[in-house]
Amino acid sequence: MGATEGSGDTDRRIGRRALLIGGTAAAVGTAVLARNELARLWWRAPGVEKPRVEGAVDFRGAQWVAASDANWRRADRPDDYGIDMVVIHVTQGSFASAVKVFQDPGHGAAAHYIVRRDGHITQMIRELDVAYHAGNRAYNERSVGIEHEGFVDRPEDFTDAMYAASARLTARICARYAVPVDREHIIGHVEVPGTDHTDPGEHWDWDRYMGLVRRARSTSA
């Protein structure tokens, strides 16, 4: 039950001092919100463009293949939106089909990375930008999305090479943004509020994966 439901103090009288303190706090809060919003929108000003290096990747060894501009939006993370989560997806198709749909402007969605069965990693959206991958705006803004080639009902698709490569990628993301290596911050698409997806599914070995991420994180520390 929510704290406001059935609360017994909703009709309590508020003194003048409390109003003054509350008004000051509200003004400060409004100023902070306004400053944060300006930080998020600074690059939209005429003549301002955040510097980008064409083909640059955030994970060494990844191959750059650009997603359609319609499937993500430009940002300045983590300065405008803090990153505190990694979302694990499964493509429900081949690697090639995932790349194709992420390049399709009519698809309306894409993840930052795709991990192939053989461990190859392709980056399609920069981590500083917001990818439309989680089906939840707030989660999109705070997370990095990683797709994995395969189908949720085929455990054989989740190969040793895939687990190892993905774990190294997730560990690097966690190190870069100080994301805790736990199941509250490394989640499946199915765990995103409001989603109708089931990936990565029951065959994704979370215990194995988290162990690999922790090992990779400690090695790179």
Side-chain angles (χ1 to χ4, degrees), residues 85-163:
M85 191 169 289
V86 176
V87 179
I88 302 299
H89 303 260
V90 172
T91 61
Q92 286 299 94
S94 68
F95 168 81
S97 66
V99 171
K100 183 177 180 179
V101 297
F102 289 173
Q103 291 179 317
D104 178 2
H107 184 61
H112 294 90
Y113 295 96
I114 308 175
V115 183
R116 212 162 58 192
R117 289 188 185 93
D118 63 1
H120 173 82
I121 297 174
T122 291
Q123 182 170 6
M124 300 193 71
I125 300 169
R126 291 291 305 278
E127 290 176 13
L128 75 168
D129 294 321
V130 176
Y132 304 154
H133 68 96
N136 178 311
R137 177 169 180 162
Y139 275 67
N140 285 341
E141 291 172 344
R142 65 189 288 196
S143 67
V144 173
I146 305 175
E147 288 278 1
H148 297 80
E149 179 185 20
F151 294 85
V152 296
D153 58 350
R154 288 179 13 184
E156 64 271 21
D157 288 346
F158 307 141
T159 65
D160 293 345
M162 174 184 285
Y163 273 121

Side-chain angles (χ1 to χ4, degrees), residues 84-85 142 182-187:
D84 67 354
M85 191 169 289
R142 65 189 288 196
D182 58 40
R183 287 284 286 112
E184 291 183 11
H185 297 86
I186 303 172
I187 67 170

